Every structure is written in structure tokens, then in C-alpha cells.
Amino acid sequence: MGKMLKYTLISLLWAFPGVLCWGAESASADTVATKPSDKIFKGFFLDIDMVEPVNSVINDDHQGFNASLAFDFKHVFLPVVEVGYAKYDASDDYSSYISQPSSYVYKVDGPYFKIGVDFNIVSSSDVTKKYKPVGYLGARYAFSSFDYTITDNVATTGIWGTGDKYSASGSAFAQWGEFVGGIRVPVWHRLYLGMEGNYKFSFSCDTDHKEAQDGQNAKTIHQTYAPGYGDSNNPGWGFRYLLSFYF
């Protein structure tokens, strides 16, 4: 039953681009005609990501949510602020190359924040329409201050082999950048549907806990997972399916 639910939800996400095409065709009847305006600030988008809640249902190791505000200046420049929260159980990711005890745990949880700007690359000749499709490219600076817990980890070295178990916990601060591209399409008045892809690259992931005891030795802890990013050792891709409202 769990696998059937997972595949059904994934199929719905893959079908989402078809909904966007339908929205683009039907929006002409639902947009609100207004007089041309020279105002610099046109309004703002409230974007709610639908991927994270779905992922929380089909994946027990990952829970989270995020939302963002994009401020519309002249339908060209859109400064963006995003806020989110994520909780990862990354135990499986860090136990694939070495047998870990059943008590092994590696978890992180905390909020993350992103700021940046998007540039609308879709022009519209109809200046009387308030609700218009938006296609954009942009960049983000992101950071997260979060907590982590590592319990009964077994480390290895190329010379000494398997070591003793050790545990550590504390807080960490991660920073990364993102390149983004996406689209929003009006489907009914203020309601938009959209999708956004991002490419993430880590700047740093610093921890306040430097050492943990492994028998008689001290271990340096390099905490690598971050909410909103994943494993900061590697660049990665991310996607958001957006339910948006324009005000």
C-alpha cells in the first residue's frame, strides 16, 4: 500500500506540467483587465511548495515545508525571500559503506532561509492584463542554523580499519548558493501554478562541536548534512512545484 501511494503521488507530480499548459490556455478568460499603470511595484507572489509535503508523506526520513515571497517590480525584477524547515534522518546515507550498529543515528533538523532575485524573461504585449505568465532565471544565497545528533557511529580509516563507536551532538551553520529557473502560469484570477528547478553548491558547513571520544582517542566531527540542502559535500539539484497567489 505504501509503495502504491508513493508511485501515485510521483505520477501526479510528473503530470503537473500538463496542468500548467491547461492553465496557460484557460487564464485568458480569468485574468482581470486593468488600466495600464506606470507603477514600479506591481504586487507580489506568495509561493507554497507542494513537493516537501508530498515528500514527507512518502519518505519517513525527510519532513519539511517551505514558502516564499517574490516582489514584482515592473514585471521584470522579482526580489525573493524564502523560509523553510527540514528534518532529515540521514542514517542510511552514512551507513552504506560500513556496517553500523542498530543503535546508530544521524539526524539534523532546523530552519533555513534564502534571499535572492529573479529576472522575468517572458514579455507580454498586453499591458492591460494584471495576471500574466512569468518565466524567470535567478540566484539565491541560502543559510541554515540547525541542530544535529550522531549516535554510536563507527568510523574507518585506510590504515587502522574499523574504530570504536562514538557519539556527538551540537549545532551547525551552513551556507550555500543556488541558480534557479522557473515558471508561473495564471489558472484562475490570482491563482497560479508553477514549477522551479535549482542547482545548489555549498559554501561551508561549520559545527561548534569539534571532537568526540572514540575509546582513548579524539575524533574531529565534520557535520555535512544541512536542512534545505542535503549533503553539503556534493552539489545537487532540487525542484519545487508551486501553488502561488498574486496580490
Side-chain angles (χ1 to χ4, degrees):
M1 181 64 181
K3 289 186 177 179
M4 183 177 295
L5 175 61
K6 176 178 180 179
Y7 294 144
T8 301
L9 291 172
I10 291 174
S11 299
L12 290 173
L13 289 179
W14 278 110
F16 195 77
V19 177
L20 293 182
C21 295
W22 168 81
E25 294 175 355
S26 63
S28 58
D30 293 329
T31 50
V32 177
T34 60
K35 295 181 179 179
S37 173
D38 293 328
K39 292 193 302 181
I40 295 177
F41 179 66
K42 302 294 186 179
F44 66 91
F45 289 96
L46 169 62
D47 299 323
I48 301 171
D49 178 32
M50 296 185 289
V51 171
E52 287 289 275
V54 171
N55 196 25
S56 298
V57 172
I58 64 177
N59 187 352
D60 293 335
D61 296 335
H62 182 183
Q63 291 81 43
F65 64 88
N66 67 73
S68 59
L69 292 175
F71 301 93
D72 182 4
F73 291 90
K74 301 291 286 187
H75 297 309
V76 177
F77 303 102
L78 296 99
V80 179
V81 178
E82 181 180 336
V83 178
Y85 173 85
K87 182 177 181 179
Y88 300 153
D89 184 342
S91 304
D92 290 342
D93 296 345
Y94 278 78
S95 60
S96 56
Y97 299 108
I98 180 174
S99 178
Q100 295 285 0
S102 59
S103 56
Y104 170 65
V105 172
Y106 179 17
K107 295 182 178 181
V108 300
D109 68 276
Y112 57 91
F113 307 89
K114 302 178 185 180
I115 56 175
V117 62
D118 294 331
F119 298 91
N120 183 20
I121 57 176
V122 176
S123 61
S124 174
S125 58
D126 191 345
V127 297
T128 65
K129 288 185 177 180
K130 182 176 181 179
Y131 307 117
K132 307 175 185 179
V134 176
Y136 56 91
L137 297 174
R140 306 280 188 274
Y141 164 73
F143 63 93
S144 176
S145 180
F146 59 97
D147 298 321
Y148 69 92
T149 300
I150 302 172
T151 303
D152 291 345
N153 183 53
V154 175
T156 61
T157 65
I159 298 176
W160 302 108
T162 303
D164 296 329
K165 293 189 296 185
Y166 70 89
S167 301
S169 62
S171 60
F173 182 78
Q175 302 178 79
W176 67 93
E178 297 182 5
F179 294 120
V180 303
I183 186 171
R184 300 183 189 89
V185 176
V187 293
W188 188 73
H189 293 293
R190 299 179 185 273
L191 176 64
Y192 283 65
L193 294 178
M195 61 175 61
E196 178 182 284
N198 54 66
Y199 178 75
K200 308 173 185 180
F201 47 96
S202 178
F203 296 147
S204 65
C205 187
D206 301 321
T207 173
D208 70 348
H209 191 119
K210 301 301 182 184
E211 296 182 342
Q213 289 302 124
D214 171 16
Q216 300 300 317
N217 303 314
K219 292 286 187 182
T220 300
I221 304 301
H222 297 290
Q223 204 296 121
T224 61
Y225 249 72
Y229 187 101
D231 190 350
S232 62
N233 280 331
N234 302 304
W237 294 92
F239 296 93
R240 303 171 73 206
Y241 287 88
L242 304 175
L243 179 65
S244 303
F245 300 90
Y246 188 78
F247 298 94

